[in-house]
Amino acid sequence: MEALICVTYRCNAKCHMCNIWKYPTTRKQEITPADLKKIPSGLEFANITGGEPFLREDIEELIKVVLPKTKRLVISTNGYFTEKIVALAKKYPQIGVRVSIEGLPKANDELRGLKDGFDHGIRTLIDLHELGLKDIGFGITVSDRNAKDLLELYHLAKWLGLEFATAAIHNTYYFHKDDNQFKDRKMITDEFKKLIDELLASKKPKDWFRAYFNYGLINFINGNKRLLPCEMGTDVFFIDPFGEVYPCNGMNWSMGNIKKQKFEEIWNGEKAKTVREKVKNCSKNCWMVGSASPAIKKDKKTAIKWILKSKLKGKVEYGCVENKR
């Protein structure tokens, strides 16, 4: 089982593709370390996200609670608070950190509405790298505005020896957005194809699976059905800052509240069963890493079949791309 834990809706950035910053939580509303003690142990993966998690004054206390409950813990951040991030990494070198970088300096700072955001993010990554942290990298949420920076950022990540994650703009209640849209799908698709070709040419099997994930992003951008079934609410749960337990951050269907109930009561309750049925019939076809990664792990055979076919032919067939939207 995997957990996505949003610890605050407070954010120091003003991203164009996300309006969380317009709807901040207050400190008193947010889940506490005591609340997080209720989540189950034995998790395969846990992601601490926001808003901006490092606006939590008690971020270390939250990490202390979640870390023993999971095999791997990654914090998603815009990387602005370098000193605080590095200080935490020194105490807990087993954690992972992913910094959101939305393009080269001009595009990043424009899209994030954060002055010198690129400089802060890169400085954080370099300092973490110098510290010797193993699980570090950065990621981009692709739109028309920054798609042309995709390959350059991938090359920068390779050069620095960092992980590189990708996403695409989505519209959900979580982002408070319903007007994100892809205008030039062909251009965006072409940039993803270049990345996929490089990932498949890598000697690292992990990169081949990333190629498949990015293939799924092309599929999503062009309005097609998910490559793999969604198992959110079954294999993964999402907790918001108010303690509401959802299947994911795309569906506004709560299964219960961890501030008021035990996790087992929520997870095994009738409300959860109803939500899981809704997930089966969901038509959003999201392809976010939180839902796609567990699906790929669960059905590796399908991904491997695509990888082998693509590598043997020396090219990727994009037959699923139809430009439906």
Side-chain angles (χ1 to χ4, degrees):
M1 188 185 295
E2 299 187 1
L4 310 175
I5 306 167
C6 182
V7 296
T8 183
Y9 282 150
R10 288 179 278 148
C11 195
N12 59 317
K14 297 180 179 178
C15 297
H16 284 210
M17 62 286 190
C18 171
N19 283 335
I20 281 178
W21 57 276
K22 291 184 179 181
Y23 303 89
T25 43
T26 65
R27 290 171 177 81
K28 289 183 178 180
Q29 291 173 319
E30 293 167 354
I31 46 177
T32 66
D35 295 325
L36 292 183
K37 285 181 180 179
K38 295 181 181 180
I39 67 173
S41 297
L43 296 171
E44 289 293 320
F45 173 75
N47 175 227
I48 302 292
T49 186
E52 172 48 52
F54 283 93
L55 285 173
R56 287 284 302 247
E57 294 76 6
D58 60 347
I59 183 67
E60 184 177 347
E61 298 306 311
L62 297 171
I63 298 303
K64 278 183 183 178
V65 171
V66 179
L67 193 55
K69 292 177 175 287
T70 183
K71 291 181 181 178
R72 178 173 173 239
L73 186 148
V74 171
I75 308 174
S76 299
T77 172
N78 57 39
Y80 197 85
F81 302 103
T82 303
E83 290 184 7
K84 192 172 183 180
I85 297 168
V86 172
L88 186 71
K90 284 180 179 178
K91 289 185 178 181
Y92 304 96
Q94 67 270 52
I95 66 171
V97 177
R98 291 294 178 274
V99 175
S100 296
I101 302 286
E102 303 305 340
L104 297 176
K106 183 179 179 182
N108 179 81
D109 293 1
E110 177 189 313
L111 285 169
R112 289 215 155 255
L114 194 58
K115 190 177 185 303
D116 299 325
F118 182 88
D119 293 355
H120 281 271
I122 291 297
R123 186 181 300 277
T124 294
L125 288 165
I126 291 172
D127 286 357
L128 291 173
H129 189 268
E130 287 299 303
L131 186 64
L133 204 72
K134 302 298 182 184
D135 192 356
I136 52 173
F138 60 90
I140 177 175
T141 300
V142 175
S143 64
D144 290 77
R145 176 64 183 84
N146 62 1
K148 290 289 186 180
D149 290 350
L150 179 61
L151 211 58
E152 283 77 7
L153 286 181
Y154 169 65
H155 291 154
L156 177 61
K158 277 183 68 177
W159 180 61
L160 291 171
L162 305 175
E163 301 290 334
F164 183 65
T166 50
I169 52 174
H170 281 71
N171 291 311
T172 77
Y173 81 94
Y174 169 71
F175 299 119
H176 296 278
K177 290 288 285 186
D178 58 12
D179 59 353
N180 281 323
Q181 59 179 310
F182 305 103
K183 295 179 181 177
D184 191 346
R185 292 185 185 84
K186 184 181 184 305
M187 179 273 292
I188 298 171
T189 295
D190 286 345
E191 295 305 314
F192 269 111
K193 286 179 181 179
K194 294 174 188 176
L195 175 62
I196 288 170
D197 286 342
E198 293 211 18
L199 289 168
L200 285 173
S202 168
K203 294 180 180 179
K204 299 178 181 178
K206 190 174 182 179
D207 285 339
W208 307 341
F209 282 94
R210 285 188 178 133
Y212 181 73
F213 171 78
N214 282 282
Y215 178 62
L217 281 177
I218 288 178
N219 193 57
F220 166 74
I221 289 164
N222 286 278
N224 299 307
K225 189 177 178 181
R226 277 177 61 106
L227 298 180
L228 298 171
C230 180
E231 299 286 348
M232 299 302 278
T234 300
D235 296 334
V236 190
F237 61 89
F238 171 75
I239 301 179
D240 79 358
F242 302 105
E244 296 292 337
V245 180
Y246 296 95
C248 63
N249 62 356
M251 291 180 165
N252 196 7
W253 301 330
S254 174
M255 297 188 283
N257 191 297
I258 204 162
K259 284 177 171 287
K260 303 171 184 176
Q261 302 164 271
K262 293 179 179 179
F263 183 84
E264 293 74 18
E265 180 185 344
I266 297 169
W267 198 245
N268 299 316
E270 289 301 316
K271 205 171 179 181
K273 292 177 184 177
T274 301
V275 169
R276 289 183 188 113
E277 286 302 313
K278 289 183 177 181
V279 170
K280 289 179 183 177
N281 297 302
C282 179
S283 60
K284 287 181 176 288
N285 290 316
C286 299
W287 192 256
M288 300 185 205
V289 68
S291 65
S293 179
I296 293 170
K297 291 174 188 174
K298 194 170 187 176
D299 187 4
K300 283 186 178 179
K301 286 184 179 179
T302 296
I304 290 170
K305 184 178 178 181
W306 177 88
I307 291 166
L308 292 175
K309 185 178 179 181
S310 299
K311 288 179 75 65
L312 285 171
K313 286 191 172 184
K315 65 177 182 177
V316 180
E317 294 180 0
Y318 296 94
C320 67
V321 178
E322 298 173 9
N323 259 329
K324 287 184 179 177
R325 289 188 202 170

